[in-house]
Amino acid sequence: MRYLTAGESHGKQLTTIVEGIPALMPLTTENINESLIRRQKGHGRGKRMQIEKDLVDIAGGVRHGYTLGSPIAMVVHNDDFKHWEDIMGEDPIDPDKDIRRKVTRPRPGHADLNGAMKYGHRDMRNILERSSARETAARVAAGAVAKTLLHHLGIEIVGYVNEIAGIKAKETDYSVKERIDISEASPVRCLDEEAGQQMMDAIDQAKKDGDSIGGVCEVFVKGMPAGIGSYVHYDRKLDGRIAGAVQSINAFKGVEFGIGFEAARKNGSQVHDEIAWEADKGYYRKTNRLGGFEGGMTTGMPIIVKGVMKPIPTLYKPLQSVDIETKEVFNASIERSDSCAVPAAAVVMEHVVAFEVAKALLEQFPHDQFPKLQKAVEDYREEIRCF
Ligand SMILES: Cc1cc2nc3c(=O)[nH]c(=O)nc-3n(C[C@H](O)[C@H](O)[C@H](O)COP(=O)(O)O)c2cc1C
């Protein structure tokens, strides 16, 4: 199972191709649109989210509500493209003509300068159009397919916000359903209403100050059987793959499982989770401090993973930069920008984690037909319960 995305932020469309989904899995545009719409919400998003309503067009791999086993192609059209056609069009242009909205002032913290040097572009629009987090809409579409697969295997996943600008939500032991319902009702996707209000105030203040703020997202996965992933090779460790996928989200700077970095400050007896067994439940851990992983494999406890998002780089009160044409010191150029995208990033994180989890399941139980995959997972669950 793999996916590729293509498309620029102000280009014609975003395209996602997902390969490896078994045939006969129920899948509709609604499954994907629900996820895309969730990504666009959140207190602190800029004007662009009001201009565009992301809706998917499934262009291959699905017929009459079921997957065919062929690659699934998905397109998200850019409704605003008519205003960008001369700037972003694919046809050659007169080299003597001034290019509108050319970017020569790289933003500190963004991909502009490094990308321009690497690919040899003098107009950094060629970098920012693709390094923009608009691409995460295409990744959410891929993750929505994975989420649908997980749902039909009895595995539920939800992402929410734990912290914004140092304001932390209280820890909870809510069920998956409660986590979904509460985060969905919160403008900042926070499970703690009081902290959520303070987070909104902090976002408003950052906006007034022309600044940006970051935070911490958490993803919770319930229903994974034990033993998914593997300890035998570095690149089969599922926690490692999830960490890589989370770190690859734009502006993410770190990943933790369970108590995470706190484990460095505790004794082993305060970190490891004691093992128990009951006839109806099978094996379980009495606590879940390791966040659902031992030896690169799931323990059967919920996967709990956190991702740290830095404040987004585009600032209305810009930091110093250097114009690559004149070498003069300037304040970095302003693109339209959010002041805080942590709530949206929680949705992106939920979807990239879903993809890695689904991929690991399909590697362990390779089937071309979805009902056979469902049966294999059910049989395995029964086998390990009595192991
Ligand atoms: C959902 C989401 C929305 C984002 N929105 C913006 C934005 O409006 N302006 C901005 O400068 N960066 C934004 N970013 C972050 C940049 O895309 C990111 O910082 C940039 O690609 C450089 O990559 P790096 O921070 O991972 O090094 C956003 C990130 C996410 C996940």
Side-chain angles (χ1 to χ4, degrees):
M1 189 175 156
R2 60 179 179 157
Y3 73 98
L4 268 182
T5 73
E8 279 66 45
S9 180
H10 297 95
K12 209 177 283 176
Q13 65 182 48
L14 292 170
T15 309
T16 309
I17 297 187
V18 179
E19 191 187 44
I21 298 293
L24 306 174
M25 182 183 92
L27 185 68
T28 62
T29 49
E30 283 70 41
N31 296 139
I32 298 150
N33 284 340
E34 193 189 316
S35 290
L36 290 173
I37 290 163
R38 285 176 59 223
R39 192 197 75 99
Q40 290 195 289
K41 289 185 189 161
H43 194 78
R45 304 302 313 266
K47 281 218 175 67
R48 181 149 193 200
M49 294 303 125
Q50 291 149 28
I51 298 170
E52 282 170 28
K53 289 277 165 281
D54 287 343
L55 293 174
V56 80
D57 201 356
I58 297 181
V62 180
R63 185 168 181 238
H64 300 162
Y66 286 91
T67 55
L68 299 175
S70 47
I72 298 169
M74 292 171 286
V75 170
V76 177
H77 296 283
N78 174 7
D79 296 340
D80 199 30
F81 184 62
K82 52 186 177 296
H83 298 122
W84 286 85
E85 206 155 355
D86 63 324
I87 301 168
M88 294 303 297
E90 67 273 28
D91 291 334
I93 55 162
D94 177 356
D96 297 328
K97 202 178 136 192
D98 268 354
I99 300 171
R100 272 214 305 136
R101 303 198 65 157
K102 183 174 175 180
V103 179
T104 57
R105 298 170 192 175
R107 291 161 298 172
H110 222 296
D112 307 344
L113 182 57
N114 307 328
M117 291 192 290
K118 175 175 165 66
Y119 290 102
H121 291 303
R122 302 300 303 173
D123 177 359
M124 286 181 290
R125 178 156 301 284
N126 290 336
I127 309 305
L128 67 89
E129 283 290 335
R130 178 66 186 167
S131 64
S132 153
R134 176 94 194 109
E135 188 267 344
T136 61
R139 276 199 257 181
V140 165
V145 176
K147 264 191 73 174
T148 307
L149 181 141
L150 295 177
H151 173 73
H152 291 294
L153 296 175
I155 299 161
E156 298 299 340
I157 178 162
V158 54
Y160 41 85
V161 171
N162 270 0
E163 189 175 328
I164 288 180
I167 300 154
K168 292 185 185 170
K170 280 197 297 283
E171 291 212 7
T172 64
D173 58 357
Y174 287 137
S175 68
V176 186
K177 181 159 180 353
E178 286 167 328
R179 285 169 207 251
I180 294 172
D181 292 346
I182 298 169
S183 61
E184 216 49 48
S186 160
V188 280
R189 295 203 171 279
C190 182
L191 301 182
D192 173 344
E193 202 181 335
E194 201 182 318
Q197 189 52 58
Q198 291 170 17
M199 289 173 187
M200 285 193 273
D201 295 343
I203 293 170
D204 294 341
Q205 190 58 50
K207 197 168 181 183
K208 264 192 220 138
D209 297 344
D211 220 325
S212 62
I213 48 180
V216 179
C217 307
E218 182 169 288
V219 171
F220 187 88
V221 189
K222 182 90 193 291
M224 278 294 277
I228 307 301
S230 178
Y231 61 92
V232 306
H233 279 300
Y234 75 94
D235 56 354
R236 293 196 206 156
K237 293 183 181 228
L238 179 54
D239 50 357
R241 286 184 183 179
I242 290 174
V246 170
Q247 181 77 40
S248 82
I249 303 169
N250 308 36
F252 273 59
K253 291 290 130 195
V255 185
E256 289 184 327
F257 289 88
I259 61 169
F261 281 27
E262 206 40 48
R265 297 168 207 122
K266 290 184 184 287
N267 295 336
S269 56
Q270 299 168 303
V271 170
H272 299 293
D273 302 302
E274 289 185 306
I275 298 172
W277 185 86
E278 281 170 38
D280 56 337
K281 274 171 124 178
Y283 294 95
Y284 63 94
R285 304 295 185 277
K286 287 165 78 176
T287 51
N288 188 22
R289 296 184 283 228
L290 291 179
F293 280 103
E294 287 168 355
M297 297 165 292
T298 51
T299 60
M301 299 296 286
I303 297 175
I304 302 175
V305 52
K306 292 191 183 70
V308 176
M309 186 184 191
K310 73 181 184 185
I312 50 188
T314 309
L315 307 175
Y316 285 96
K317 185 175 75 182
L319 296 173
Q320 179 186 303
S321 183
V322 174
D323 189 302
I324 64 164
E325 291 300 335
T326 63
K327 305 292 185 284
E328 277 175 286
V329 166
F330 272 103
N331 287 331
S333 81
I334 300 170
E335 283 288 307
R336 196 164 42 191
S337 185
D338 305 331
S339 51
C340 176
V342 180
V347 177
V348 178
M349 183 171 157
E350 173 186 306
H351 287 77
V352 304
V353 172
F355 198 90
E356 295 308 318
V357 168
K359 180 175 161 178
L361 278 161
L362 271 169
E363 275 175 22
Q364 203 142 325
F365 308 102
H367 281 285
D368 292 326
Q369 298 174 29
F370 189 64
K372 290 187 179 172
L373 170 65
Q374 283 178 304
K375 181 165 185 327
V377 172
E378 264 329 295
D379 290 350
Y380 176 70
R381 280 198 173 109
E382 190 50 27
E383 183 189 317
I384 57 173
R385 186 175 64 80
C386 311
F387 181 78

